[in-house]
């Protein structure tokens, strides 16, 4: 019995050494962290992940909710090959799948936001054999109106600059048009004056010829 013990222990030690040299990678979750949305609108809770294992039918996704004012954790959504929406509770008929596991996207959409939807939404992904890792979270704040952001002011600045450029171009085009028109009128006026002087000169020549013939 004791003579066989080394043979049994050796594979175990070898396995422990390989585990130490090649530790199992964990699923990494990526979310926005914090999100604001207007009451009554729809919001996309984005959650993506990375995994060392290929994505297959064993992939599972679990979404849960913790209210901001406290209370027990509530089920929001579950995915395993097919999406499973809650059959009862506050999120019934309000959550739809908007993910694509092939692209490592396990996002959902929450419809018709309410103020009591304020809280933390957690996204957990397991992709066997890669089942370890931290749970992603999104802190959702439902507000009356979304405050102006830097992107909004940047868009306004760009729009204003474009409007000014368009006005300048139009002004230059109109200036060129009226200047050409004025030059054309001036040229016509000069041509008219020249024609009148030539006609007058012809008349004077005719009178001179007539007087010479009379003499």
């Amino acid at each position: 019995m004791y003579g066989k013990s080394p043979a049994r222990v050796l594979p175990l030690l070898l396995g422990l050494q390989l585990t130490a040299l090649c530790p199992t990678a964990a699923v990494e979750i990526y979310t926005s962290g914090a999100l604001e949305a207007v009451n009554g609108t729809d919001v996309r809770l984005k959650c993506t992940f990375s995994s060392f294992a290929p994505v297959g039918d064993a992939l599972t996704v679990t979404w849960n909710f913790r209210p901001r004012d406290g209370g027990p954790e509530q089920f929001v959504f579950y995915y395993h090959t097919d999406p499973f929406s809650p059959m009862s509770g506050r999120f019934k008929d309000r959550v739809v799948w908007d993910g694509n596991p092939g692209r490592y996207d396990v996002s959902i959409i929450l419809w018709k936001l309410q103020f009591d939807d304020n809280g933390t939404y957690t996204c957990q992904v397991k992709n066997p054999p890669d089942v370890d890792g931290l749970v992603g979270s999104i802190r959702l704040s439902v507000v009356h109106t979304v405050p102006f952001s830097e992107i909004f002011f940047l868009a306004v600045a760009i729009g204003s600059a474009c409007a000014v450029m368009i006005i300048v171009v139009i002004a230059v085009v109109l200036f060129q048009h009226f200047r050409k028109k004025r030059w054309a009128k001036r040229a016509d006026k000069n041509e008219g004056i020249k024609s009148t002087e030539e006609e007058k000169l012809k008349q004077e020549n005719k009178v001179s010829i007539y007087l010479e013939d009379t003499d």
Side-chain angles (χ1 to χ4, degrees):
M1 177 177 174
Y2 290 101
K4 296 181 180 180
S5 295
R8 295 179 179 178
V9 174
L10 184 59
L12 179 59
L13 294 176
L14 182 59
L16 292 175
Q17 290 178 352
L18 291 176
T19 302
L21 292 174
C22 302
T24 302
V27 176
E28 295 187 3
I29 307 295
Y30 309 97
T31 66
S32 58
L35 184 63
E36 280 191 351
V38 178
N39 179 47
T41 63
D42 306 332
V43 65
R44 186 174 191 263
L45 303 180
K46 184 178 180 180
C47 179
T48 58
F49 70 98
S50 63
S51 174
F52 81 96
V55 176
D57 294 337
L59 175 77
T60 61
V61 181
T62 305
W63 281 88
N64 290 316
F65 169 69
R66 293 194 302 270
R68 178 177 296 178
D69 55 2
E73 190 172 65
Q74 302 175 28
F75 169 71
V76 178
F77 197 85
Y78 181 76
Y79 177 91
H80 182 203
T81 307
D82 293 313
F84 296 92
S85 302
M87 301 300 294
S88 60
R90 64 188 298 159
F91 296 108
K92 180 183 178 182
D93 300 328
R94 294 182 56 215
V95 184
V96 292
W97 174 250
D98 195 46
N100 185 345
R103 295 186 177 182
Y104 302 94
D105 189 343
V106 291
S107 305
I108 59 175
I109 294 179
L110 182 59
W111 288 344
K112 301 177 182 178
L113 286 179
Q114 306 167 5
F115 287 112
D116 56 2
D117 291 330
N118 283 310
T120 301
Y121 294 79
T122 59
C123 171
Q124 183 179 30
V125 179
K126 293 185 178 181
N127 185 37
D130 193 356
V131 295
D132 297 323
L134 299 176
V135 177
S137 62
I138 299 175
R139 296 183 303 277
L140 177 64
S141 298
V142 181
V143 297
H144 287 285
T145 58
V146 176
F148 292 128
S149 64
E150 293 181 0
I151 296 178
F152 173 80
F153 288 113
L154 180 61
V156 171
I158 294 175
S160 301
C162 292
V164 171
M165 291 179 63
I166 292 173
I167 293 174
V168 170
V169 170
I170 293 175
V172 171
V173 171
L174 291 176
F175 174 77
Q176 294 289 344
H177 172 74
F178 285 114
R179 187 171 67 173
K180 289 180 179 179
K181 190 174 181 180
R182 185 174 59 185
W183 285 351
K185 288 182 178 179
R186 184 179 297 176
D188 292 340
K189 184 177 180 180
N190 292 335
E191 186 68 24
I193 294 173
K194 183 178 179 181
S195 299
T196 302
E197 291 178 351
E198 290 178 351
E199 185 66 25
K200 185 177 179 180
L201 182 60
K202 289 180 181 180
Q203 292 295 333
E204 290 178 353
N205 291 334
K206 289 182 180 179
V207 171
S208 299
I209 294 173
Y210 174 77
L211 292 174
E212 290 177 357
D213 293 339
T214 303
D215 293 340

